[in-house]
Amino acid sequence: MRKKSSPVQTSSANSLWGGRFAGGPAEIMARINASIGFDQRLYAQDIAGSKAHCEMLIKQGIIGARDGAQILAGLDTILAEISAGKFNFSEALEDIHMNIEARLAELIGPAAGRLHTARSRNDQVAVDFRLWVRDATDALETALKDLQHELLQRAGQHAATIMPGFTHLQSAQPVTFGHHLMAYVEMFGRDRARLRDARVRMNESPLGAAALAGTSFPIDREMTAKALRFARPMRNSLDAVSDRDFALEFLGACAIAATHLSRLAEEIVLWSSAQFGFIALTDEFSTGSSIMPQKRNPDAAELVRAKTGRVAGSFTALLMVMKGLPLTYSKDMQEDKEQVFDAADTMNLSIAAMTGMIRTMIIKEDAMLAAAGKGYSTATDLADWLVRELNIPFRQAHHITGETVKRAEAKGVSLEQLSLTDLQAVEPRITEAARHILSVQASVASRTSFGGAAPERVRSAIAAAKKELG
């Protein structure tokens, strides 16, 4: 969008503030006070709110139908100008609200001044910002759903692809790659639920609260709320203009989702390394080195991992802005928008990058299978067998299995490769049947408890998730 900033006017009275001020602000005051550089993003929401307010004023007989019609037509013209990049934004007019109002006056004359009847910039910005965050919440929830679909697609392809499961980043028990990916489907599902939950609370209209105390004009707040697709008007005018919980909840949900993205990004970085070799990223989501021609760097994943700090920082920043603010509106609250805008942009970019990486990454099944058998990952299966078949208390079975692992380690073989004689040297009652449960395939297949890693369970989980997502 093309934009122009007019020179800051400091020598004459500010027409926006009326007759109270004889002179204009200092140049530095004008610079710190102006928000048009970022809040111009609210233009569509501002015009929607103004149109809803105007239509209500007409219906209630607060302004005349002729003036109202001129206002509505002028607002449509301004929306078209901004959408086409033909609107000149002025820093001297401070914010998006006054830029639009000034342009409206140029288009239709004195009738433009009637639009602000029974309204303040306080409830105006509150409704604009709430509408924007509501739209951003819907967009982010949809992006996360798309990521879930991509994860489900890959999980279905690899429901039986065996890989090591880790605790402390040490080989723990074998799982499947599909099961691993399904863990992130669950995480992002909770993120979407948090966004939907926050949306319910934010879907109340502050319009009509005016500066802070409501208005003496016979307005219809139910009408404007319905026109803007809010569930209801906010019940307290003080709360309506001073609340930014909706922005904080949005940022909080973003911060948690960004943390989940960072965990998956870190695993992609590890998996794509030569030391793991579980996956390869395609050229679309990799970069090279200026000096080492062999390098393929997982920069997309690393950047997603890093951008979590920006999102969490935005949440903390706005939390500190709101901390200790008395009711109702304070100029501090102008610092709310940049944090939210940046977090929304960062999240949408990060989710898009992650979705692309999941869709295109190459899975190296043989490397995963080879790694799954290392580190004596089926030791727990032997301990469980001792409990189940020999009725040995688990703590004793744990000790016996530990001794067995020590023997395998000394011989330089896997548990599966130990002979029956080796096993019986530790516990004489062990039979040949125990050796059949020590392969990674048998281990994974045995994890049939609800939510477990057995391929049949993974496929059931995928089917249930697809049905839920629609």
Side-chain angles (χ1 to χ4, degrees):
M1 182 186 300
R2 182 174 63 86
K3 62 179 180 178
K4 296 180 181 178
S5 293
S6 300
V8 175
Q9 300 169 357
T10 61
S11 59
S12 61
N14 190 318
S15 61
L16 309 183
W17 303 339
R20 174 64 179 86
F21 289 78
E27 189 271 340
I28 194 66
M29 175 60 197
R31 283 172 53 199
I32 197 172
N33 192 50
S35 60
I36 189 60
F38 52 85
D39 71 10
Q40 60 186 259
R41 292 180 66 159
L42 300 175
Y43 76 91
Q45 291 77 19
D46 190 74
I47 290 173
S50 290
K51 291 181 70 174
H53 183 65
C54 181
E55 288 166 353
M56 181 273 297
L57 293 177
I58 297 169
K59 177 178 176 293
Q60 295 299 103
I62 298 171
I63 66 173
R66 181 178 178 182
D67 286 342
Q70 285 184 292
I71 290 170
L72 292 172
L75 290 171
D76 284 337
T77 298
I78 294 169
L79 179 61
E81 289 176 350
I82 299 176
S83 299
K86 297 178 179 179
F87 189 91
N88 292 328
F89 292 102
S90 169
E91 190 176 271
L93 293 171
E94 294 186 13
D95 57 30
I96 186 62
H97 324 298
M98 301 314 301
N99 268 264
I100 288 175
E101 186 172 320
R103 177 59 178 149
L104 185 63
E106 290 176 357
L107 290 170
I108 69 171
R114 299 191 182 280
L115 176 58
H116 210 53
T117 307
R119 185 176 71 168
S120 163
R121 275 198 293 178
N122 290 355
D123 64 336
Q124 187 177 1
V125 69
V127 75
D128 292 1
F129 194 31
R130 199 173 280 253
L131 287 170
W132 194 95
V133 175
R134 190 179 69 181
D135 291 343
T137 299
D138 292 342
L140 189 57
E141 201 260 344
T142 298
L144 285 169
K145 184 177 180 179
D146 291 343
L147 175 54
Q148 284 182 294
H149 275 299
E150 213 58 62
L151 287 164
L152 283 171
Q153 177 70 17
R154 301 314 299 267
Q157 296 167 357
H158 296 281
T161 298
I162 295 174
M163 70 173 291
F166 299 95
T167 61
H168 307 277
L169 205 55
Q170 305 294 312
S171 185
Q173 294 177 334
V175 294
T176 74
F177 190 56
H179 190 54
H180 197 112
L181 293 180
M182 286 301 293
Y184 287 100
V185 172
E186 294 294 320
M187 290 185 212
F188 295 129
R190 291 193 296 273
D191 293 327
R192 290 177 57 222
R194 270 183 282 273
L195 288 165
R196 291 194 301 269
D197 190 44
R199 192 192 193 283
V200 171
R201 276 185 293 279
M202 76 175 67
N203 201 33
E204 296 183 340
S205 174
L207 190 57
L212 75 161
T215 178
S216 59
F217 288 95
I219 62 172
D220 184 346
R221 294 191 64 208
E222 293 285 352
M223 178 182 173
T224 53
K226 183 178 180 181
L228 296 170
R229 295 181 291 108
F230 286 112
R232 63 191 67 84
M234 295 183 73
R235 292 181 293 188
N236 184 281
S237 62
L238 302 176
D239 182 47
V241 298
S242 64
D243 170 57
R244 292 298 183 270
D245 289 359
F246 64 94
L248 285 168
E249 281 200 83
F250 174 76
L251 289 175
C254 285
I256 296 172
T259 300
H260 292 154
L261 287 169
S262 77
R263 297 183 74 178
L264 181 51
E266 168 67 4
E267 297 206 290
I268 289 173
V269 171
L270 290 172
W271 294 340
S272 62
S273 68
Q275 289 71 25
F276 276 74
F278 290 178
I279 68 166
L281 293 178
T282 62
D283 293 351
E284 298 169 85
F285 295 98
S286 304
T287 65
S289 166
S290 64
I291 190 173
M292 295 170 284
Q294 84 282 7
K295 294 292 296 298
R296 180 187 290 276
N297 298 323
D299 281 9
E302 291 172 351
L303 287 166
V304 169
R305 182 177 62 185
K307 287 180 184 295
T308 302
R310 288 180 66 152
V311 178
S314 292
F315 173 62
T316 302
L318 183 54
L319 200 63
M320 292 303 98
V321 167
M322 298 305 298
K323 172 192 168 295
L325 282 187
L327 296 178
T328 56
Y329 182 82
S330 298
K331 198 68 171 185
D332 309 50
M333 293 162 69
Q334 185 167 289
E335 292 297 307
D336 55 2
K337 296 167 198 65
E338 287 180 284
Q339 312 300 335
V340 171
F341 294 160
D342 186 73
D345 291 346
T346 299
M347 286 300 297
N348 280 295
L349 180 60
S350 295
I351 294 169
M354 183 59 71
T355 303
M357 284 187 281
I358 295 298
R359 181 188 303 118
T360 60
M361 67 184 180
I362 299 163
I363 314 303
K364 300 183 178 181
E365 298 181 26
D366 291 344
M368 287 185 176
L369 179 61
K374 295 179 180 178
Y376 308 102
S377 63
T378 59
T380 306
D381 295 275
L382 177 58
D384 289 345
W385 187 91
L386 293 170
V387 171
R388 187 170 54 249
E389 302 298 329
L390 303 183
N391 199 29
I392 295 174
F394 183 79
R395 285 300 168 202
Q396 184 181 346
H398 185 283
H399 178 77
I400 292 169
T401 302
E403 290 291 332
T404 305
V405 169
K406 188 188 298 182
R407 176 173 287 263
E409 196 170 37
K411 286 178 167 284
V413 297
S414 68
L415 287 177
E416 187 182 9
Q417 291 171 326
L418 283 175
S419 67
L420 180 59
T421 301
D422 288 322
L423 294 171
Q424 290 178 337
V426 180
E427 170 48 64
R429 291 175 288 172
I430 292 178
T431 67
E432 182 66 25
R435 298 185 69 244
H436 299 312
I437 54 93
L438 294 178
S439 70
V440 291
Q441 291 84 354
S443 176
V444 168
S446 72
R447 306 296 174 183
T448 56
S449 59
F450 182 79
E456 63 186 89
R457 280 295 189 185
V458 176
R459 293 187 182 100
S460 294
I462 293 169
K466 284 183 176 179
K467 184 177 179 180
E468 185 176 305
L469 280 179

